[in-house]
CSV table of all heavy atoms in Angstrom, one decimal:
chain,number,residue,atom,x,y,z
N,122,CYS,N,-17.3,-15.2,3.4
N,122,CYS,CA,-17.7,-16.1,4.6
N,122,CYS,C,-19.0,-16.8,4.4
N,122,CYS,O,-19.0,-18.0,4.5
N,122,CYS,CB,-17.8,-15.3,5.9
N,122,CYS,SG,-16.3,-14.7,6.5
N,123,LEU,N,-20.0,-16.1,4.0
N,123,LEU,CA,-21.3,-16.6,3.8
N,123,LEU,C,-21.6,-17.2,2.4
N,123,LEU,O,-22.0,-18.4,2.2
N,123,LEU,CB,-22.4,-15.6,4.2
N,123,LEU,CG,-23.8,-16.1,4.1
N,123,LEU,CD1,-24.1,-17.3,5.0
N,123,LEU,CD2,-24.8,-15.0,4.6
N,124,ASN,N,-21.4,-16.4,1.4
N,124,ASN,CA,-21.7,-16.8,0.1
N,124,ASN,C,-20.7,-18.0,-0.4
N,124,ASN,O,-21.2,-18.9,-1.0
N,124,ASN,CB,-21.7,-15.6,-1.0
N,124,ASN,CG,-22.7,-14.6,-0.5
N,124,ASN,OD1,-23.7,-14.9,0.2
N,124,ASN,ND2,-22.6,-13.4,-1.1
N,125,GLY,N,-19.6,-17.8,0.1
N,125,GLY,CA,-18.5,-19.0,-0.2
N,125,GLY,C,-19.0,-20.2,0.4
N,125,GLY,O,-18.9,-21.3,-0.2
N,126,ALA,N,-19.5,-20.1,1.6
N,126,ALA,CA,-20.0,-21.4,2.2
N,126,ALA,C,-21.2,-22.0,1.5
N,126,ALA,O,-21.4,-23.1,1.4
N,126,ALA,CB,-20.3,-21.2,3.8
N,127,PHE,N,-22.0,-21.0,1.2
N,127,PHE,CA,-23.3,-21.5,0.5
N,127,PHE,C,-22.9,-22.1,-0.8
N,127,PHE,O,-23.4,-23.3,-1.1
N,127,PHE,CB,-24.2,-20.2,0.1
N,127,PHE,CG,-25.0,-20.5,-1.0
N,127,PHE,CD1,-26.1,-21.5,-1.0
N,127,PHE,CD2,-24.9,-19.9,-2.3
N,127,PHE,CE1,-26.9,-21.7,-2.1
N,127,PHE,CE2,-25.7,-20.1,-3.4
N,127,PHE,CZ,-26.7,-21.0,-3.3
N,128,LEU,N,-22.0,-21.6,-1.6
N,128,LEU,CA,-21.7,-22.3,-2.8
N,128,LEU,C,-21.0,-23.7,-2.6
N,128,LEU,O,-21.2,-24.6,-3.4
N,128,LEU,CB,-20.7,-21.4,-3.7
N,128,LEU,CG,-21.3,-20.1,-4.2
N,128,LEU,CD1,-20.3,-19.2,-4.8
N,128,LEU,CD2,-22.4,-20.4,-5.3
N,129,THR,N,-20.3,-23.7,-1.6
N,129,THR,CA,-19.6,-25.0,-1.3
N,129,THR,C,-20.7,-26.0,-0.8
N,129,THR,O,-20.7,-27.2,-1.3
N,129,THR,CB,-18.6,-24.9,-0.2
N,129,THR,OG1,-17.7,-23.8,-0.5
N,129,THR,CG2,-17.8,-26.1,0.1
N,130,VAL,N,-21.6,-25.7,0.0
N,130,VAL,CA,-22.7,-26.6,0.5
N,130,VAL,C,-23.5,-27.0,-0.9
N,130,VAL,O,-23.8,-28.1,-1.0
N,130,VAL,CB,-23.6,-25.9,1.5
N,130,VAL,CG1,-24.9,-26.6,1.7
N,130,VAL,CG2,-22.9,-25.7,2.8
N,131,LYS,N,-23.8,-26.0,-1.6
N,131,LYS,CA,-24.7,-26.2,-2.9
N,131,LYS,C,-24.0,-27.3,-3.8
N,131,LYS,O,-24.6,-28.3,-4.1
N,131,LYS,CB,-24.9,-24.9,-3.6
N,131,LYS,CG,-25.5,-25.1,-5.0
N,131,LYS,CD,-25.7,-23.8,-5.8
N,131,LYS,CE,-26.2,-24.1,-7.2
N,131,LYS,NZ,-26.5,-22.9,-7.9
N,132,HIS,N,-22.7,-27.0,-4.1
N,132,HIS,CA,-22.2,-27.9,-5.2
N,132,HIS,C,-21.7,-29.3,-4.5
N,132,HIS,O,-21.9,-30.3,-5.2
N,132,HIS,CB,-21.0,-27.2,-5.8
N,132,HIS,CG,-21.5,-26.2,-6.8
N,132,HIS,ND1,-22.0,-26.5,-8.0
N,132,HIS,CD2,-21.8,-24.9,-6.7
N,132,HIS,CE1,-22.5,-25.4,-8.7
N,132,HIS,NE2,-22.4,-24.4,-7.8
N,133,ALA,N,-21.2,-29.2,-3.3
N,133,ALA,CA,-20.9,-30.5,-2.6
N,133,ALA,C,-22.2,-31.3,-2.3
N,133,ALA,O,-22.3,-32.5,-2.7
N,133,ALA,CB,-20.2,-30.2,-1.4
N,134,GLY,N,-23.2,-30.6,-1.9
N,134,GLY,CA,-24.5,-31.3,-1.6
N,134,GLY,C,-25.0,-32.0,-2.8
N,134,GLY,O,-25.6,-33.1,-2.8
N,135,ARG,N,-25.0,-31.3,-4.0
N,135,ARG,CA,-25.5,-31.9,-5.2
N,135,ARG,C,-24.8,-33.2,-5.5
N,135,ARG,O,-25.6,-34.1,-5.9
N,135,ARG,CB,-25.2,-30.9,-6.3
N,135,ARG,CG,-26.4,-30.1,-6.6
N,135,ARG,CD,-26.0,-29.3,-7.9
N,135,ARG,NE,-26.9,-28.2,-8.0
N,135,ARG,CZ,-27.0,-27.4,-9.1
N,135,ARG,NH1,-26.3,-27.5,-10.1
N,135,ARG,NH2,-27.9,-26.4,-9.1
N,136,VAL,N,-23.5,-33.2,-5.5
N,136,VAL,CA,-22.7,-34.4,-5.9
N,136,VAL,C,-23.0,-35.4,-4.8
N,136,VAL,O,-23.2,-36.6,-5.2
N,136,VAL,CB,-21.2,-34.1,-6.0
N,136,VAL,CG1,-20.4,-35.2,-6.0
N,136,VAL,CG2,-20.9,-33.2,-7.2
N,137,MET,N,-22.9,-35.1,-3.6
N,137,MET,CA,-23.1,-36.1,-2.5
N,137,MET,C,-24.5,-36.7,-2.6
N,137,MET,O,-24.7,-38.0,-2.3
N,137,MET,CB,-23.0,-35.5,-1.1
N,137,MET,CG,-21.5,-35.1,-0.8
N,137,MET,SD,-21.4,-34.3,0.8
N,137,MET,CE,-19.7,-34.0,1.0
N,138,ARG,N,-25.5,-35.9,-2.8
N,138,ARG,CA,-26.9,-36.4,-2.9
N,138,ARG,C,-27.1,-37.5,-4.0
N,138,ARG,O,-27.9,-38.4,-3.9
N,138,ARG,CB,-27.7,-35.2,-3.2
N,138,ARG,CG,-29.2,-35.3,-2.9
N,138,ARG,CD,-30.0,-34.0,-3.1
N,138,ARG,NE,-29.7,-33.4,-4.4
N,138,ARG,CZ,-30.2,-32.3,-4.8
N,138,ARG,NH1,-30.9,-31.5,-4.0
N,138,ARG,NH2,-30.0,-31.8,-6.2
N,139,ALA,N,-26.3,-37.4,-5.1
N,139,ALA,CA,-26.4,-38.3,-6.2
N,139,ALA,C,-25.6,-39.5,-6.0
N,139,ALA,O,-25.6,-40.5,-6.9
N,139,ALA,CB,-25.9,-37.5,-7.5
N,140,GLN,N,-24.8,-39.6,-4.9
N,140,GLN,CA,-24.0,-40.8,-4.7
N,140,GLN,C,-24.8,-41.8,-3.8
N,140,GLN,O,-24.7,-41.9,-2.6
N,140,GLN,CB,-22.7,-40.4,-4.0
N,140,GLN,CG,-21.8,-39.5,-4.8
N,140,GLN,CD,-20.6,-39.1,-4.0
N,140,GLN,OE1,-19.5,-38.9,-4.6
N,140,GLN,NE2,-20.7,-38.9,-2.7
N,141,ASP,N,-25.6,-42.6,-4.3
N,141,ASP,CA,-26.5,-43.6,-3.7
N,141,ASP,C,-25.7,-44.4,-2.6
N,141,ASP,O,-24.6,-45.0,-3.1
N,141,ASP,CB,-27.2,-44.4,-4.6
N,141,ASP,CG,-28.5,-43.8,-5.0
N,141,ASP,OD1,-28.8,-42.8,-4.5
N,141,ASP,OD2,-29.2,-44.3,-5.9
N,142,GLY,N,-26.2,-44.5,-1.4
N,142,GLY,CA,-25.6,-45.3,-0.4
N,142,GLY,C,-24.2,-44.9,0.2
N,142,GLY,O,-23.6,-45.6,0.8
N,143,ARG,N,-23.8,-43.7,-0.1
N,143,ARG,CA,-22.5,-43.2,0.3
N,143,ARG,C,-22.8,-42.0,1.2
N,143,ARG,O,-23.4,-41.0,0.8
N,143,ARG,CB,-21.7,-42.8,-0.8
N,143,ARG,CG,-20.2,-43.0,-0.8
N,143,ARG,CD,-19.4,-42.7,-1.9
N,143,ARG,NE,-18.0,-42.4,-1.5
N,143,ARG,CZ,-17.0,-43.1,-1.9
N,143,ARG,NH1,-17.2,-44.1,-2.9
N,143,ARG,NH2,-15.8,-42.9,-1.6
N,144,ALA,N,-22.6,-42.1,2.5
N,144,ALA,CA,-22.8,-41.1,3.4
N,144,ALA,C,-21.9,-39.8,3.2
N,144,ALA,O,-20.8,-40.0,2.7
N,144,ALA,CB,-22.7,-41.5,4.9
N,145,GLY,N,-22.4,-38.7,3.3
N,145,GLY,CA,-21.6,-37.4,3.1
N,145,GLY,C,-21.6,-36.6,4.4
N,145,GLY,O,-22.4,-36.7,5.3
N,146,SER,N,-20.5,-35.9,4.6
N,146,SER,CA,-20.4,-34.9,5.7
N,146,SER,C,-19.9,-33.6,5.2
N,146,SER,O,-18.8,-33.5,4.6
N,146,SER,CB,-19.4,-35.5,6.7
N,146,SER,OG,-19.3,-34.5,7.8
N,147,ILE,N,-20.5,-32.5,5.6
N,147,ILE,CA,-20.1,-31.2,5.3
N,147,ILE,C,-19.9,-30.5,6.6
N,147,ILE,O,-20.7,-30.5,7.6
N,147,ILE,CB,-21.2,-30.4,4.4
N,147,ILE,CG1,-21.5,-31.1,3.1
N,147,ILE,CG2,-20.8,-29.0,4.2
N,147,ILE,CD1,-22.6,-30.6,2.3
N,148,VAL,N,-18.7,-29.8,6.7
N,148,VAL,CA,-18.3,-29.1,7.9
N,148,VAL,C,-18.1,-27.6,7.5
N,148,VAL,O,-17.2,-27.3,6.6
N,148,VAL,CB,-17.1,-29.7,8.6
N,148,VAL,CG1,-16.9,-28.8,9.9
N,148,VAL,CG2,-17.2,-31.1,8.9
N,149,ASN,N,-18.8,-26.7,8.1
N,149,ASN,CA,-18.6,-25.2,7.7
N,149,ASN,C,-17.9,-24.6,8.9
N,149,ASN,O,-18.2,-24.9,10.0
N,149,ASN,CB,-20.0,-24.6,7.6
N,149,ASN,CG,-20.8,-25.1,6.4
N,149,ASN,OD1,-20.3,-25.4,5.4
N,149,ASN,ND2,-22.1,-25.2,6.5
N,150,LEU,N,-17.0,-23.7,8.5
N,150,LEU,CA,-16.3,-22.9,9.6
N,150,LEU,C,-17.1,-21.7,9.8
N,150,LEU,O,-17.2,-20.8,9.1
N,150,LEU,CB,-14.9,-22.5,9.0
N,150,LEU,CG,-13.8,-23.3,9.4
N,150,LEU,CD1,-13.5,-23.3,10.9
N,150,LEU,CD2,-14.0,-24.8,9.1
N,151,ALA,N,-17.8,-21.7,11.0
N,151,ALA,CA,-18.4,-20.6,11.6
N,151,ALA,C,-17.4,-19.8,12.5
N,151,ALA,O,-16.2,-19.8,12.1
N,151,ALA,CB,-19.7,-21.0,12.3
N,152,SER,N,-17.8,-19.4,13.5
N,152,SER,CA,-16.9,-18.6,14.5
N,152,SER,C,-17.6,-18.5,15.9
N,152,SER,O,-18.8,-18.4,15.9
N,152,SER,CB,-16.6,-17.2,14.0
N,152,SER,OG,-15.8,-16.4,14.9
Side-chain angles (χ1 to χ4, degrees):
C122 291
L123 179 56
N124 300 343
F127 157 65
L128 290 173
T129 307
V130 167
K131 173 181 171 177
H132 288 279
R135 267 188 191 185
V136 167
M137 289 176 176
R138 201 174 50 181
Q140 298 176 144
D141 272 351
R143 216 173 157 123
S146 175
I147 299 175
V148 183
N149 296 324
L150 264 290
S152 169

